Structures are given as C-alpha cells and as structure tokens.
Amino acid sequence: MKIRIYPGDDDGVDSVCRELKSGKVVALPTETVYGLAADALRENSCRKIFDIKMRPLVDPLIVHFHSTSQLSKIAIVPEVLGRVGEEFWPGPLTVVLKKKRAVPDLVTAGRQSVAVRMPALGLARMVLEKSGLLLAAPSANPFGYVSPTRADHVVESLGDKIGSVLDGGECEIGLESTILDLTDPEKPAILRLGPIGEKELEDALGQRVALKVTSQNQGKNCEGLLAPGTLSKHYSPRVNLTLHSAGEMETIRLPYGIQGHANVYFQRPRHNRAAQPDTFWLSEGGDTKEAARNLFELLRNLDRRGYRTVNLEKAPPGGLGDAINDRLLRAAAKS
Ligand code: TXA
Ligand code: MG
C-alpha cells in the first residue's frame, strides 16, 4: 500500500472525513501528537487500529470528541468535569470517565471506563465537526515506539500499513496529553504526566489530585495497570540511552568522537562542546516547551542516523519538565 499525504486544507479534511465515514483508518494531527483515527462506534474499524499498531487488545483507546452532546452519548459526565473541561478543553487533557453502552468494548479493552479528549488543533476539530464522528485515536506509531509529531514520522513508521495521513505540519506541543482519572469524582488521579500539570488540575478542581503514574518496574504486562499503555518501557527508540540530570552533562567528561555514539544536551552547551561532532541539544536556550516540541523528532533522528549509544540530559524538574523526563525514563528503560 502506498500512503497518500493529504494537505492540511479543506479538501484534505473532506477526503479524510470521507475515508473515516467509510470505515477506514487515517492518521491525523492534533496539538499533542499525530493520532491513528477511526470511527469510535464502529468496532471493525477500531480493530484495524490495534492490528496496524500491533497494540495489545488490553490497552484501551482515547475517544476524541468536539461537542458536549457527543460526549454525553458515550460517557457519564460528573459535575466536577465542568471545572476541568471549561479550563482545559479543547486542549491536551484526556479524562477517564464511566462509559456508556454505545462505546464498543474493544475500544475500552473491556473496561467500564472510557478515556475522552477534545483536541484543540483546528484541523482535528474540522475533521470531528465535518464528519460528525467520535474518533478513537491512539498515537500513530507502532506499539512501544516513539509517538509521531510530523506527518513524515507517520510515513516513516506506518507508511506501508495505512492508506493516508492528513498533514498538519509539526505538532505544537509534541508530548501526549495529560490523563486525569475522574471515574471516582471524589478521588481524581493523574494516570499520565503531560502538558497540563498536577498543580493546574488541583487549582481547577479545588481538591487534591493523586499521582498514579506507573513506575519504572512494572514490567511488560499490561493487565492491572491503571493506564495500561504507560508501561515502563514505552516511547522507546532503538538507540540505547543513558540519562543524566539537568546541568550534569556540562560538568562531566563524555565520550566524544566514538563511532555510533552521540551526546544530547538539554540546551545548547558551551561553544567548544557544541562544536563537537555527534552533539545535539533539545532547545537553544533551555526553553522547556521548545524541548518538548523537539523531543520525539530528536529521538527518531538518533535512530535514523544509526547511533547505538547516547548520553542524554534530562529537563530541569517541575511542570512540563516532569512530563519530558517521564518519557525519557520510559525511552531509556530496558524492558
Ligand atoms: O495526546 C494524546 O493523548 C494522543 C493524541 C492522538 O490524542 N493520544 C494518545 O493515545 O497518546 P495513546 O493510545 O497512545 O495513549 C492513551 C493512553 C494509553 O496509555 C491507554 O492505556 C490509556 O490512555 N487509556 C485509554 N483508555 C483508558 C481507560 N479507560 N482507563 C485508563 N487508561 C486508559
Ligand atoms: Mg501511544
């Protein structure tokens, strides 16, 4: 199959809507990462998503929507949702709610809950509005690999498995959404760190939010995890990563000029270090948003260039830096 790249304009959106309505799977951009989308209420279409990604059937999908009337078709909407919905939707927040029967069990991997998100990117909203569909869409990468933040990332890793991708250029945020569990409105919990932080959610909700992010040692088994996709090894490039804390790499001796080895700083290092071969940085001046936007392209680029080992510097902790470091820890995990 040769993948078609639709331009991010009205015609592209119309073509994508036609394909989705006929039951096909299409990759499309959001403000976080590209998603692999299908009609969420059509089980056969959603099954294709699992096949294409080689995703285990125990790992549920996020359903994207654009209106509250659509949302109330698939989920029981608790009162507290209003507080976060008003503040962060449309945007990079996914909320787990109790599901209604309309959602196929395949989509929620048999759970009684469904993860929902209203994306902010104009192109994604246009597809949702024009098609009138609810769209199940996990990140458009093979299971376990790095999420795509550009149309050519989708082509690179799924080009021979899907028919088309809508090109929305580079994703503005570049990291997957924060996942907030509101199945028990009394006990909100973050299941995946992301662009919206714990403090912001606590302020909006007016109550404490627990952190239930899976730790580094839970192994490969999806079952029993709160957000089963957040395995210790995930977002994982082929290259072997050794992580350093923020600021550390400038102060230590690093291997230079070794075949198959690269060094990645969080921000542009001192001049003589920046001029070394096989040296990269996530941001020019230490801007965390810029680093988040560049992260997945950089990890993919290291694989493309065939590096085998990399020393990589983490983001300074706090806020978005914690979400970047979460992805880095998973990218570096051995299993
Ligand atoms: O930013 C994003 O969220 C992107 C864009 C495309 O929207 N999507 C994304 O989807 O990252 P995915 O499938 O790669 O990650 C979704 C995560 C998985 O870890 C999955 O296990 C978890 O959400 N999840 C989905 N439904 C769930 C549920 N009912 N309960 C708990 N976790 C759930
Ligand atoms: Mg994913």
PDB file of all heavy atoms in Angstrom, residues 16-50:
ATOM      1  N   VAL A  16     -10.372  13.099   4.159  1.00  0.00           N
ATOM      2  CA  VAL A  16     -10.205  12.321   5.389  1.00  0.00           C
ATOM      3  C   VAL A  16     -11.576  11.955   5.973  1.00  0.00           C
ATOM      4  O   VAL A  16     -11.797  10.817   6.406  1.00  0.00           O
ATOM      5  CB  VAL A  16      -9.351  13.126   6.404  1.00  0.00           C
ATOM      6  CG1 VAL A  16      -9.475  12.570   7.804  1.00  0.00           C
ATOM      7  CG2 VAL A  16      -7.899  13.120   5.963  1.00  0.00           C
ATOM      8  N   CYS A  17     -12.504  12.910   5.964  1.00  0.00           N
ATOM      9  CA  CYS A  17     -13.851  12.629   6.501  1.00  0.00           C
ATOM     10  C   CYS A  17     -14.515  11.501   5.708  1.00  0.00           C
ATOM     11  O   CYS A  17     -15.133  10.602   6.288  1.00  0.00           O
ATOM     12  CB  CYS A  17     -14.729  13.874   6.446  1.00  0.00           C
ATOM     13  SG  CYS A  17     -14.214  15.127   7.628  1.00  0.00           S
ATOM     14  N   ARG A  18     -14.362  11.561   4.384  1.00  0.00           N
ATOM     15  CA  ARG A  18     -14.947  10.501   3.540  1.00  0.00           C
ATOM     16  C   ARG A  18     -14.379   9.141   3.921  1.00  0.00           C
ATOM     17  O   ARG A  18     -15.101   8.166   4.085  1.00  0.00           O
ATOM     18  CB  ARG A  18     -14.643  10.779   2.060  1.00  0.00           C
ATOM     19  CG  ARG A  18     -15.844  11.241   1.259  1.00  0.00           C
ATOM     20  CD  ARG A  18     -15.612  11.175  -0.242  1.00  0.00           C
ATOM     21  NE  ARG A  18     -14.310  11.629  -0.683  1.00  0.00           N
ATOM     22  CZ  ARG A  18     -13.984  12.915  -0.903  1.00  0.00           C
ATOM     23  NH1 ARG A  18     -14.870  13.871  -0.708  1.00  0.00           N
ATOM     24  NH2 ARG A  18     -12.774  13.247  -1.308  1.00  0.00           N
ATOM     25  N   GLU A  19     -13.066   9.081   4.075  1.00  0.00           N
ATOM     26  CA  GLU A  19     -12.433   7.796   4.409  1.00  0.00           C
ATOM     27  C   GLU A  19     -12.899   7.286   5.777  1.00  0.00           C
ATOM     28  O   GLU A  19     -13.204   6.111   5.940  1.00  0.00           O
ATOM     29  CB  GLU A  19     -10.910   7.937   4.389  1.00  0.00           C
ATOM     30  CG  GLU A  19     -10.380   8.211   2.998  1.00  0.00           C
ATOM     31  CD  GLU A  19      -8.903   7.872   2.849  1.00  0.00           C
ATOM     32  OE1 GLU A  19      -8.347   7.159   3.703  1.00  0.00           O
ATOM     33  OE2 GLU A  19      -8.319   8.327   1.849  1.00  0.00           O
ATOM     34  N   LEU A  20     -12.950   8.203   6.743  1.00  0.00           N
ATOM     35  CA  LEU A  20     -13.362   7.785   8.090  1.00  0.00           C
ATOM     36  C   LEU A  20     -14.800   7.284   8.076  1.00  0.00           C
ATOM     37  O   LEU A  20     -15.138   6.285   8.709  1.00  0.00           O
ATOM     38  CB  LEU A  20     -13.212   8.952   9.073  1.00  0.00           C
ATOM     39  CG  LEU A  20     -11.769   9.332   9.420  1.00  0.00           C
ATOM     40  CD1 LEU A  20     -11.727  10.687  10.134  1.00  0.00           C
ATOM     41  CD2 LEU A  20     -11.113   8.261  10.300  1.00  0.00           C
ATOM     42  N   LYS A  21     -15.649   7.985   7.305  1.00  0.00           N
ATOM     43  CA  LYS A  21     -17.068   7.586   7.272  1.00  0.00           C
ATOM     44  C   LYS A  21     -17.253   6.247   6.559  1.00  0.00           C
ATOM     45  O   LYS A  21     -18.205   5.537   6.827  1.00  0.00           O
ATOM     46  CB  LYS A  21     -17.903   8.684   6.616  1.00  0.00           C
ATOM     47  CG  LYS A  21     -18.096   9.865   7.565  1.00  0.00           C
ATOM     48  CD  LYS A  21     -19.368  10.618   7.286  1.00  0.00           C
ATOM     49  CE  LYS A  21     -19.056  11.846   6.482  1.00  0.00           C
ATOM     50  NZ  LYS A  21     -20.176  12.733   6.284  1.00  0.00           N
ATOM     51  N   SER A  22     -16.309   5.918   5.659  1.00  0.00           N
ATOM     52  CA  SER A  22     -16.437   4.621   5.002  1.00  0.00           C
ATOM     53  C   SER A  22     -15.768   3.513   5.823  1.00  0.00           C
ATOM     54  O   SER A  22     -15.631   2.384   5.354  1.00  0.00           O
ATOM     55  CB  SER A  22     -15.849   4.684   3.585  1.00  0.00           C
ATOM     56  OG  SER A  22     -14.441   4.705   3.676  1.00  0.00           O
ATOM     57  N   GLY A  23     -15.310   3.849   7.036  1.00  0.00           N
ATOM     58  CA  GLY A  23     -14.798   2.806   7.934  1.00  0.00           C
ATOM     59  C   GLY A  23     -13.295   2.641   7.926  1.00  0.00           C
ATOM     60  O   GLY A  23     -12.750   1.739   8.562  1.00  0.00           O
ATOM     61  N   LYS A  24     -12.591   3.540   7.198  1.00  0.00           N
ATOM     62  CA  LYS A  24     -11.125   3.393   7.123  1.00  0.00           C
ATOM     63  C   LYS A  24     -10.416   4.025   8.327  1.00  0.00           C
ATOM     64  O   LYS A  24     -11.004   4.818   9.064  1.00  0.00           O
ATOM     65  CB  LYS A  24     -10.616   4.044   5.844  1.00  0.00           C
ATOM     66  CG  LYS A  24     -11.037   3.281   4.612  1.00  0.00           C
ATOM     67  CD  LYS A  24     -10.317   3.792   3.390  1.00  0.00           C
ATOM     68  CE  LYS A  24     -10.752   2.970   2.178  1.00  0.00           C
ATOM     69  NZ  LYS A  24     -10.804   3.773   0.970  1.00  0.00           N
ATOM     70  N   VAL A  25      -9.141   3.693   8.432  1.00  0.00           N
ATOM     71  CA  VAL A  25      -8.275   4.259   9.470  1.00  0.00           C
ATOM     72  C   VAL A  25      -7.371   5.303   8.813  1.00  0.00           C
ATOM     73  O   VAL A  25      -6.771   5.032   7.779  1.00  0.00           O
ATOM     74  CB  VAL A  25      -7.403   3.137  10.093  1.00  0.00           C
ATOM     75  CG1 VAL A  25      -6.373   3.714  11.047  1.00  0.00           C
ATOM     76  CG2 VAL A  25      -8.274   2.118  10.808  1.00  0.00           C
ATOM     77  N   VAL A  26      -7.290   6.483   9.413  1.00  0.00           N
ATOM     78  CA  VAL A  26      -6.499   7.585   8.839  1.00  0.00           C
ATOM     79  C   VAL A  26      -5.663   8.223   9.944  1.00  0.00           C
ATOM     80  O   VAL A  26      -6.134   8.372  11.071  1.00  0.00           O
ATOM     81  CB  VAL A  26      -7.448   8.670   8.258  1.00  0.00           C
ATOM     82  CG1 VAL A  26      -6.655   9.837   7.703  1.00  0.00           C
ATOM     83  CG2 VAL A  26      -8.357   8.104   7.197  1.00  0.00           C
ATOM     84  N   ALA A  27      -4.430   8.622   9.625  1.00  0.00           N
ATOM     85  CA  ALA A  27      -3.622   9.346  10.616  1.00  0.00           C
ATOM     86  C   ALA A  27      -3.886  10.835  10.477  1.00  0.00           C
ATOM     87  O   ALA A  27      -3.948  11.355   9.362  1.00  0.00           O
ATOM     88  CB  ALA A  27      -2.147   9.046  10.419  1.00  0.00           C
ATOM     89  N   LEU A  28      -4.051  11.509  11.627  1.00  0.00           N
ATOM     90  CA  LEU A  28      -4.277  12.954  11.567  1.00  0.00           C
ATOM     91  C   LEU A  28      -3.594  13.673  12.723  1.00  0.00           C
ATOM     92  O   LEU A  28      -3.310  13.086  13.768  1.00  0.00           O
ATOM     93  CB  LEU A  28      -5.774  13.274  11.512  1.00  0.00           C
ATOM     94  CG  LEU A  28      -6.747  12.579  12.424  1.00  0.00           C
ATOM     95  CD1 LEU A  28      -6.804  13.275  13.766  1.00  0.00           C
ATOM     96  CD2 LEU A  28      -8.136  12.640  11.773  1.00  0.00           C
ATOM     97  N   PRO A  29      -3.307  14.974  12.484  1.00  0.00           N
ATOM     98  CA  PRO A  29      -2.570  15.722  13.508  1.00  0.00           C
ATOM     99  C   PRO A  29      -3.462  16.178  14.645  1.00  0.00           C
ATOM    100  O   PRO A  29      -4.667  16.364  14.465  1.00  0.00           O
ATOM    101  CB  PRO A  29      -2.068  16.947  12.722  1.00  0.00           C
ATOM    102  CG  PRO A  29      -3.114  17.169  11.676  1.00  0.00           C
ATOM    103  CD  PRO A  29      -3.619  15.794  11.296  1.00  0.00           C
ATOM    104  N   THR A  30      -2.884  16.322  15.824  1.00  0.00           N
ATOM    105  CA  THR A  30      -3.534  17.048  16.931  1.00  0.00           C
ATOM    106  C   THR A  30      -2.446  17.977  17.474  1.00  0.00           C
ATOM    107  O   THR A  30      -1.310  17.943  16.987  1.00  0.00           O
ATOM    108  CB  THR A  30      -4.050  16.131  18.065  1.00  0.00           C
ATOM    109  OG1 THR A  30      -2.955  15.749  18.908  1.00  0.00           O
ATOM    110  CG2 THR A  30      -4.773  14.900  17.531  1.00  0.00           C
ATOM    111  N   GLU A  31      -2.778  18.784  18.468  1.00  0.00           N
ATOM    112  CA  GLU A  31      -1.759  19.684  19.021  1.00  0.00           C
ATOM    113  C   GLU A  31      -0.704  18.936  19.841  1.00  0.00           C
ATOM    114  O   GLU A  31       0.374  19.459  20.088  1.00  0.00           O
ATOM    115  CB  GLU A  31      -2.423  20.779  19.870  1.00  0.00           C
ATOM    116  CG  GLU A  31      -2.987  20.322  21.209  1.00  0.00           C
ATOM    117  CD  GLU A  31      -4.374  19.669  21.077  1.00  0.00           C
ATOM    118  OE1 GLU A  31      -4.728  19.199  19.985  1.00  0.00           O
ATOM    119  OE2 GLU A  31      -5.081  19.621  22.106  1.00  0.00           O
ATOM    120  N   THR A  32      -1.010  17.688  20.232  1.00  0.00           N
ATOM    121  CA  THR A  32      -0.030  16.925  21.029  1.00  0.00           C
ATOM    122  C   THR A  32       0.858  16.075  20.125  1.00  0.00           C
ATOM    123  O   THR A  32       2.041  16.365  19.952  1.00  0.00           O
ATOM    124  CB  THR A  32      -0.744  16.025  22.050  1.00  0.00           C
ATOM    125  OG1 THR A  32      -1.647  15.149  21.366  1.00  0.00           O
ATOM    126  CG2 THR A  32      -1.472  16.839  23.089  1.00  0.00           C
ATOM    127  N   VAL A  33       0.280  15.023  19.531  1.00  0.00           N
ATOM    128  CA  VAL A  33       0.995  14.139  18.601  1.00  0.00           C
ATOM    129  C   VAL A  33      -0.014  13.722  17.525  1.00  0.00           C
ATOM    130  O   VAL A  33      -1.203  13.994  17.652  1.00  0.00           O
ATOM    131  CB  VAL A  33       1.567  12.886  19.316  1.00  0.00           C
ATOM    132  CG1 VAL A  33       2.557  13.278  20.407  1.00  0.00           C
ATOM    133  CG2 VAL A  33       0.462  12.002  19.903  1.00  0.00           C
ATOM    134  N   TYR A  34       0.469  13.063  16.464  1.00  0.00           N
ATOM    135  CA  TYR A  34      -0.458  12.552  15.444  1.00  0.00           C
ATOM    136  C   TYR A  34      -1.191  11.324  15.992  1.00  0.00           C
ATOM    137  O   TYR A  34      -0.606  10.504  16.713  1.00  0.00           O
ATOM    138  CB  TYR A  34       0.295  12.165  14.160  1.00  0.00           C
ATOM    139  CG  TYR A  34       0.555  13.348  13.246  1.00  0.00           C
ATOM    140  CD1 TYR A  34       1.476  14.328  13.612  1.00  0.00           C
ATOM    141  CD2 TYR A  34      -0.124  13.482  12.032  1.00  0.00           C
ATOM    142  CE1 TYR A  34       1.700  15.424  12.782  1.00  0.00           C
ATOM    143  CE2 TYR A  34       0.108  14.572  11.197  1.00  0.00           C
ATOM    144  CZ  TYR A  34       1.013  15.545  11.574  1.00  0.00           C
ATOM    145  OH  TYR A  34       1.233  16.623  10.767  1.00  0.00           O
ATOM    146  N   GLY A  35      -2.468  11.223  15.646  1.00  0.00           N
ATOM    147  CA  GLY A  35      -3.257  10.079  16.081  1.00  0.00           C
ATOM    148  C   GLY A  35      -3.641   9.194  14.909  1.00  0.00           C
ATOM    149  O   GLY A  35      -3.666   9.641  13.754  1.00  0.00           O
ATOM    150  N   LEU A  36      -3.925   7.923  15.204  1.00  0.00           N
ATOM    151  CA  LEU A  36      -4.376   6.975  14.188  1.00  0.00           C
ATOM    152  C   LEU A  36      -5.870   6.785  14.426  1.00  0.00           C
ATOM    153  O   LEU A  36      -6.270   6.103  15.364  1.00  0.00           O
ATOM    154  CB  LEU A  36      -3.620   5.667  14.380  1.00  0.00           C
ATOM    155  CG  LEU A  36      -3.684   4.640  13.263  1.00  0.00           C
ATOM    156  CD1 LEU A  36      -3.161   5.217  11.965  1.00  0.00           C
ATOM    157  CD2 LEU A  36      -2.855   3.416  13.642  1.00  0.00           C
ATOM    158  N   ALA A  37      -6.689   7.434  13.567  1.00  0.00           N
ATOM    159  CA  ALA A  37      -8.103   7.604  13.899  1.00  0.00           C
ATOM    160  C   ALA A  37      -9.037   6.680  13.139  1.00  0.00           C
ATOM    161  O   ALA A  37      -8.786   6.317  11.991  1.00  0.00           O
ATOM    162  CB  ALA A  37      -8.509   9.060  13.623  1.00  0.00           C
ATOM    163  N   ALA A  38     -10.136   6.328  13.826  1.00  0.00           N
ATOM    164  CA  ALA A  38     -11.225   5.578  13.191  1.00  0.00           C
ATOM    165  C   ALA A  38     -12.514   5.909  13.940  1.00  0.00           C
ATOM    166  O   ALA A  38     -12.469   6.377  15.096  1.00  0.00           O
ATOM    167  CB  ALA A  38     -10.954   4.078  13.251  1.00  0.00           C
ATOM    168  N   ASP A  39     -13.638   5.659  13.286  1.00  0.00           N
ATOM    169  CA  ASP A  39     -14.959   5.842  13.893  1.00  0.00           C
ATOM    170  C   ASP A  39     -15.036   5.026  15.196  1.00  0.00           C
ATOM    171  O   ASP A  39     -15.014   3.788  15.170  1.00  0.00           O
ATOM    172  CB  ASP A  39     -16.013   5.354  12.884  1.00  0.00           C
ATOM    173  CG  ASP A  39     -17.431   5.511  13.410  1.00  0.00           C
ATOM    174  OD1 ASP A  39     -17.618   5.732  14.618  1.00  0.00           O
ATOM    175  OD2 ASP A  39     -18.363   5.392  12.581  1.00  0.00           O
ATOM    176  N   ALA A  40     -15.151   5.733  16.322  1.00  0.00           N
ATOM    177  CA  ALA A  40     -15.070   5.060  17.628  1.00  0.00           C
ATOM    178  C   ALA A  40     -16.242   4.130  17.897  1.00  0.00           C
ATOM    179  O   ALA A  40     -16.158   3.250  18.757  1.00  0.00           O
ATOM    180  CB  ALA A  40     -14.982   6.106  18.742  1.00  0.00           C
ATOM    181  N   LEU A  41     -17.336   4.321  17.172  1.00  0.00           N
ATOM    182  CA  LEU A  41     -18.505   3.483  17.453  1.00  0.00           C
ATOM    183  C   LEU A  41     -18.578   2.288  16.506  1.00  0.00           C
ATOM    184  O   LEU A  41     -19.543   1.526  16.531  1.00  0.00           O
ATOM    185  CB  LEU A  41     -19.788   4.325  17.383  1.00  0.00           C
ATOM    186  CG  LEU A  41     -19.819   5.539  18.323  1.00  0.00           C
ATOM    187  CD1 LEU A  41     -21.181   6.212  18.317  1.00  0.00           C
ATOM    188  CD2 LEU A  41     -19.433   5.138  19.756  1.00  0.00           C
ATOM    189  N   ARG A  42     -17.575   2.159  15.649  1.00  0.00           N
ATOM    190  CA  ARG A  42     -17.563   1.055  14.698  1.00  0.00           C
ATOM    191  C   ARG A  42     -16.452   0.081  15.068  1.00  0.00           C
ATOM    192  O   ARG A  42     -15.273   0.340  14.827  1.00  0.00           O
ATOM    193  CB  ARG A  42     -17.290   1.631  13.305  1.00  0.00           C
ATOM    194  CG  ARG A  42     -18.195   1.086  12.248  1.00  0.00           C
ATOM    195  CD  ARG A  42     -18.260   2.081  11.126  1.00  0.00           C
ATOM    196  NE  ARG A  42     -18.036   1.412   9.866  1.00  0.00           N
ATOM    197  CZ  ARG A  42     -18.260   1.979   8.702  1.00  0.00           C
ATOM    198  NH1 ARG A  42     -18.681   3.226   8.624  1.00  0.00           N
ATOM    199  NH2 ARG A  42     -18.037   1.312   7.587  1.00  0.00           N
ATOM    200  N   GLU A  43     -16.861  -1.025  15.640  1.00  0.00           N
ATOM    201  CA  GLU A  43     -15.875  -1.955  16.189  1.00  0.00           C
ATOM    202  C   GLU A  43     -14.873  -2.451  15.141  1.00  0.00           C
ATOM    203  O   GLU A  43     -13.671  -2.521  15.406  1.00  0.00           O
ATOM    204  CB  GLU A  43     -16.609  -3.136  16.826  1.00  0.00           C
ATOM    205  CG  GLU A  43     -15.663  -4.063  17.524  1.00  0.00           C
ATOM    206  CD  GLU A  43     -16.371  -5.121  18.339  1.00  0.00           C
ATOM    207  OE1 GLU A  43     -17.359  -4.789  19.024  1.00  0.00           O
ATOM    208  OE2 GLU A  43     -15.935  -6.274  18.278  1.00  0.00           O
ATOM    209  N   ASN A  44     -15.376  -2.768  13.948  1.00  0.00           N
ATOM    210  CA  ASN A  44     -14.469  -3.307  12.919  1.00  0.00           C
ATOM    211  C   ASN A  44     -13.380  -2.322  12.540  1.00  0.00           C
ATOM    212  O   ASN A  44     -12.233  -2.713  12.281  1.00  0.00           O
ATOM    213  CB  ASN A  44     -15.253  -3.667  11.649  1.00  0.00           C
ATOM    214  CG  ASN A  44     -15.912  -5.010  11.816  1.00  0.00           C
ATOM    215  OD1 ASN A  44     -15.526  -5.780  12.698  1.00  0.00           O
ATOM    216  ND2 ASN A  44     -16.921  -5.281  10.996  1.00  0.00           N
ATOM    217  N   SER A  45     -13.740  -1.043  12.498  1.00  0.00           N
ATOM    218  CA  SER A  45     -12.750  -0.022  12.147  1.00  0.00           C
ATOM    219  C   SER A  45     -11.712   0.102  13.262  1.00  0.00           C
ATOM    220  O   SER A  45     -10.515   0.223  13.002  1.00  0.00           O
ATOM    221  CB  SER A  45     -13.426   1.324  11.932  1.00  0.00           C
ATOM    222  OG  SER A  45     -14.407   1.210  10.929  1.00  0.00           O
ATOM    223  N   CYS A  46     -12.175   0.059  14.497  1.00  0.00           N
ATOM    224  CA  CYS A  46     -11.245   0.201  15.623  1.00  0.00           C
ATOM    225  C   CYS A  46     -10.319  -1.011  15.740  1.00  0.00           C
ATOM    226  O   CYS A  46      -9.166  -0.892  16.150  1.00  0.00           O
ATOM    227  CB  CYS A  46     -12.005   0.436  16.922  1.00  0.00           C
ATOM    228  SG  CYS A  46     -12.865   2.025  16.916  1.00  0.00           S
ATOM    229  N   ARG A  47     -10.826  -2.173  15.339  1.00  0.00           N
ATOM    230  CA  ARG A  47      -9.975  -3.368  15.377  1.00  0.00           C
ATOM    231  C   ARG A  47      -8.750  -3.177  14.473  1.00  0.00           C
ATOM    232  O   ARG A  47      -7.641  -3.618  14.777  1.00  0.00           O
ATOM    233  CB  ARG A  47     -10.775  -4.601  14.943  1.00  0.00           C
ATOM    234  CG  ARG A  47     -10.055  -5.915  15.208  1.00  0.00           C
ATOM    235  CD  ARG A  47     -10.934  -7.101  14.864  1.00  0.00           C
ATOM    236  NE  ARG A  47     -12.159  -7.153  15.651  1.00  0.00           N
ATOM    237  CZ  ARG A  47     -12.240  -7.601  16.899  1.00  0.00           C
ATOM    238  NH1 ARG A  47     -11.159  -8.047  17.500  1.00  0.00           N
ATOM    239  NH2 ARG A  47     -13.382  -7.619  17.534  1.00  0.00           N
ATOM    240  N   LYS A  48      -8.968  -2.474  13.353  1.00  0.00           N
ATOM    241  CA  LYS A  48      -7.843  -2.228  12.428  1.00  0.00           C
ATOM    242  C   LYS A  48      -6.746  -1.412  13.101  1.00  0.00           C
ATOM    243  O   LYS A  48      -5.567  -1.596  12.828  1.00  0.00           O
ATOM    244  CB  LYS A  48      -8.333  -1.463  11.185  1.00  0.00           C
ATOM    245  CG  LYS A  48      -9.267  -2.254  10.288  1.00  0.00           C
ATOM    246  CD  LYS A  48      -9.668  -1.415   9.071  1.00  0.00           C
ATOM    247  CE  LYS A  48     -11.003  -1.880   8.501  1.00  0.00           C
ATOM    248  NZ  LYS A  48     -11.637  -0.854   7.650  1.00  0.00           N
ATOM    249  N   ILE A  49      -7.153  -0.484  13.991  1.00  0.00           N
ATOM    250  CA  ILE A  49      -6.145   0.332  14.696  1.00  0.00           C
ATOM    251  C   ILE A  49      -5.204  -0.573  15.498  1.00  0.00           C
ATOM    252  O   ILE A  49      -3.983  -0.421  15.462  1.00  0.00           O
ATOM    253  CB  ILE A  49      -6.821   1.339  15.664  1.00  0.00           C
ATOM    254  CG1 ILE A  49      -7.636   2.367  14.895  1.00  0.00           C
ATOM    255  CG2 ILE A  49      -5.785   2.019  16.538  1.00  0.00           C
ATOM    256  CD1 ILE A  49      -8.356   3.384  15.804  1.00  0.00           C
ATOM    257  N   PHE A  50      -5.794  -1.527  16.225  1.00  0.00           N
ATOM    258  CA  PHE A  50      -4.969  -2.438  17.032  1.00  0.00           C
ATOM    259  C   PHE A  50      -4.030  -3.254  16.135  1.00  0.00           C
ATOM    260  O   PHE A  50      -2.856  -3.440  16.456  1.00  0.00           O
ATOM    261  CB  PHE A  50      -5.857  -3.386  17.851  1.00  0.00           C
ATOM    262  CG  PHE A  50      -6.536  -2.727  19.016  1.00  0.00           C
ATOM    263  CD1 PHE A  50      -7.803  -2.177  18.900  1.00  0.00           C
ATOM    264  CD2 PHE A  50      -5.899  -2.667  20.260  1.00  0.00           C
ATOM    265  CE1 PHE A  50      -8.432  -1.574  19.989  1.00  0.00           C
ATOM    266  CE2 PHE A  50      -6.520  -2.064  21.354  1.00  0.00           C
ATOM    267  CZ  PHE A  50      -7.797  -1.516  21.217  1.00  0.00           C
TER     268      PHE A  50
END
